[in-house]
């Protein structure tokens, strides 16, 4: 039987620049292959092929998706073998903890014709600068959007009953954990719930929660305490030694959007746009923060100002996404130059070498 795949983002284009959570997801691995090489050198294809090969053999794999290219991945992990392959080119620079012993650099640049690339040097430099400028514009515009979002939040923060919020959080802590205290250290993984991509917001909530029996859909408005509640629940899980997947907001990494407690069969997530979902199976439950915590009539009272803020926010998010799309178009041009200079039979040999080493590790584990 084929293994299962988990899809998520470990890096994101956020209002605070490119934000990496790679280290959290690579912890505990015995072998990490770090791929180096320019755009179009086949890093994503290599990782996908190896990931699918091991899935077909019944192993569960994790695909770390690329926030800047909807069709690419930045990494593949095979948790039961404690093996990972990751793209180690900017912006996701991975700092080795034990070079050679755990991490091994793989240079896909071996497969390119350096002379052919040197002829295109000026074009490559120009495109690289334009891509960087497009990302910087995107980050600056997301930052403006976040400032607008902060104004939106203030309306609801000022209308919130904080005592009720504490009561709700404590009730959930009691429901989730009771008197539980596991005699182990909690395994904590930090990831992103979704990402701002060239095609807009993308998330993998259905995939990540498909095997979770109990799902809590947290509804509410900006500033209605969703992230604060999730942070307190995460701290409570860690105190009790419960393993936890902490999913950060792809727009503001300082905020949390989802927690998954697989040992307990529980997922709780912010189920508002752009990752809005509704109960679809037994065990699904809605927690409406607006209904429980916010002064009734707040939406109506501030309807006009909220409408204006929402329009400004949407406009900035659309503008920021257009800069990501521009960066992607330029990146595609850059890729074409490298693809034309590549000998992919060399990449295939490198892929075969990595595959062989993973096979040896699997055999050693028995």
């Amino acid at each position: 039987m084929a293994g299962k795949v988990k899809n998520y983002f470990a890096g994101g284009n956020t209002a605070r620049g490119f934000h990496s959570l790679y280290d959290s997801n690579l912890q505990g691995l015995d072998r990490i292959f770090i791929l180096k090489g320019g755009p179009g050198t086949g890093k994503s294809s290599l990782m996908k092929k190896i990931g699918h090969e091991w899935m077909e053999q019944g192993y569960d794999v994790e695909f770390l998706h690329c926030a800047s290219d909807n069709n690419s991945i930045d990494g593949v992990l095979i948790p039961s073998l404690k093996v990972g392959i990751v793209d180690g080119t900017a912006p996701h620079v991975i700092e080795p903890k034990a070079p050679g012993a755990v991490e091994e650099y793989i240079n896909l640049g071996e497969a390119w014709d350096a002379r052919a690339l040197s002829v295109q040097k000026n074009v490559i430099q120009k495109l690289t600068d334009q891509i960087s400028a497009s990302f910087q514009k995107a980050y600056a515009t997301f930052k403006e959007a976040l400032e607008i979002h902060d104004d939106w939040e203030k309306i609801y923060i000022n209308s919130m009953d904080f005592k009720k919020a504490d009561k709700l959080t404590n009730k959930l802590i009691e429901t989730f954990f009771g008197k539980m205290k596991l005699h182990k250290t909690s395994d904590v993984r930090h990831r992103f719930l979704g990402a701002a991509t060239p095609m807009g917001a993308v998330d993998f909530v259905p995939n990540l929660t498909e095997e979770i029996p109990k799902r809590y859909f947290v509804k509410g408005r900006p500033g209605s305490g969703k992230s604060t509640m999730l942070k307190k629940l995460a701290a409570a899980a860690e105190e009790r030694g419960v393993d936890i997947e902490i999913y950060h907001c792809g727009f503001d990494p300082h905020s949390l959007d989802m927690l998954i407690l697989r040992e307990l069969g529980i997922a709780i997530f912010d189920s508002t746009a752009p990752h809005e979902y509704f109960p679809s199976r037994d065990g699904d439950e809605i927690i409406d923060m607006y209904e429980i915590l916010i002064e009734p009539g707040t939406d109506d009272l501030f309807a006009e100002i909220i409408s204006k803020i929402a329009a400004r926010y949407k406009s900035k998010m659309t503008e920021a996404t257009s800069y990501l799309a521009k960066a992607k178009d330029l990146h595609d041009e850059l890729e074409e130059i490298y693809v034309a200079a590549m000998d992919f039979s060399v990449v295939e040999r490198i892929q075969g070498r990595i595959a062989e080493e993973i096979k040896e590790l699997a055999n050693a584990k028995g």
Side-chain angles (χ1 to χ4, degrees), residues 196-212:
T197 80
M199 291 174 71
V202 172
D203 70 77
F204 295 107
V205 170
N207 166 259
L208 291 164
T209 65
E210 67 186 349
E211 293 184 312
I212 307 292

Side-chain angles (χ1 to χ4, degrees), residues 307-324:
S307 169
K308 284 176 182 167
I309 289 173
R312 279 169 55 222
Y313 172 72
K314 188 180 176 187
S315 168
K316 281 292 167 196
M317 291 299 278
T318 302
E319 185 188 340
T321 301
S322 76
Y323 295 130
L324 291 181

Side-chain angles (χ1 to χ4, degrees), residues 91-152:
H92 21 71
V93 178
I94 289 142
E95 293 297 334
K97 304 288 188 288
V102 174
E103 298 91 357
E104 181 185 339
Y105 283 105
I106 305 286
N107 180 20
L108 297 185
E110 286 174 27
W112 63 39
D113 179 345
R115 204 170 296 165
L117 292 174
S118 69
V119 173
Q120 301 266 31
K121 184 180 80 170
N122 292 340
V123 181
I124 289 170
Q125 285 177 338
K126 188 183 174 190
L127 284 170
T128 303
D129 290 344
Q130 288 176 325
I131 291 165
S132 178
S134 295
F135 276 119
Q136 291 315 312
K137 278 184 186 171
Y139 300 148
T141 311
F142 280 131
K143 188 171 182 287
E144 289 176 46
L146 182 59
E147 284 160 7
I148 295 166
H149 198 269
D150 288 345
D151 290 339
W152 197 348

Side-chain angles (χ1 to χ4, degrees), residues 12-17 19 21 142-143 145-147 149-150 153 191-196 227 231 247-257 275 313 317:
N13 299 308
T14 81
R16 303 178 194 278
H19 196 86
L21 296 171
F142 280 131
K143 188 171 182 287
L146 182 59
E147 284 160 7
H149 198 269
D150 288 345
E153 287 190 346
R191 297 163 178 168
F192 283 105
L193 174 79
S227 174
K231 284 175 182 173
Y247 291 85
H248 294 247
C249 170
F251 170 55
D252 177 8
H254 292 180
S255 280
L256 300 189
D257 274 350
H275 33 79
Y313 172 72
M317 291 299 278

Side-chain angles (χ1 to χ4, degrees), residues 283-300:
D284 287 351
E285 191 176 320
I286 286 177
I287 298 172
D288 191 329
M289 305 289 273
Y290 180 79
E291 201 176 276
I292 302 167
L293 308 178
I294 307 294
E295 184 74 32
T298 299
D299 278 350
D300 298 332

